[in-house]
Amino acid sequence: MDTQEIGDRLEIIALLARYTHAIDTGQWDLLDEVFCQDAVIDYSSSGGIRGSRDEVKGWLAQVLAHWPARLHLVGAAHIDFLDGTQARVSAPFTDTLAPTREMVAARTEGFLHGGGWYHHLMLRTPDGWRSTELVEEQSWRTAR
């Protein structure tokens, strides 16, 4: 592995962290630093929408307002470089969506827990690596 590939892998991993940070903190404009403007984002496996970056930003802001406490954890990413400008990236995730940021009993209704895979097609741009496509593969989900 040469220094370019090491740098690319680190940048892609940082991009995945930026994605979860944007979702968990509700900083929707940070998604502009994760996705290309013409990216297609597909959350249909979890009952969500498939749309453009801007459509998905609006949808996330509306839907996730019901769960103000959110935490996504992304596991080790599998990165396949297709050429010098594209990469396929798959990373396992788990998430917890909570109806409040207050301390509540574990049996409180409104919690969602889930997991699966994030599959990205990444593109090297003048601004660094960006996702041109995200397909969420929901493997499991529990609700209380």
Side-chain angles (χ1 to χ4, degrees), residues 115-126:
W117 292 86
Y118 289 133
H119 302 290
H120 288 269
L121 178 60
M122 300 276 185
L123 177 68
R124 183 195 307 275
T125 74

Side-chain angles (χ1 to χ4, degrees), residues 51-116:
S52 69
R53 180 186 73 188
D54 292 338
E55 290 169 333
V56 167
K57 283 170 53 177
W59 176 80
L60 287 169
Q62 180 181 18
V63 170
L64 292 181
H66 300 286
W67 295 279
R70 301 180 288 271
L71 180 65
H72 287 73
L73 302 174
V74 174
H78 180 83
I79 302 169
D80 282 326
F81 292 100
L82 305 177
D83 57 31
T85 63
Q86 290 187 311
R88 288 238 173 247
V89 179
S90 292
F93 76 90
T94 62
D95 61 14
T96 299
L97 307 177
T100 179
R101 290 180 175 265
E102 303 300 318
M103 175 85 68
V104 295
R107 293 182 301 268
T108 301
E109 289 189 18
F111 281 89
L112 295 178
H113 303 280

Side-chain angles (χ1 to χ4, degrees), residues 26 32 41 48 50-51 59 75-76 84 90 98 130 144:
D32 296 351
I41 303 165
R50 179 183 188 277
W59 176 80
S90 292
R130 297 290 186 268
R144 180 164 250 316

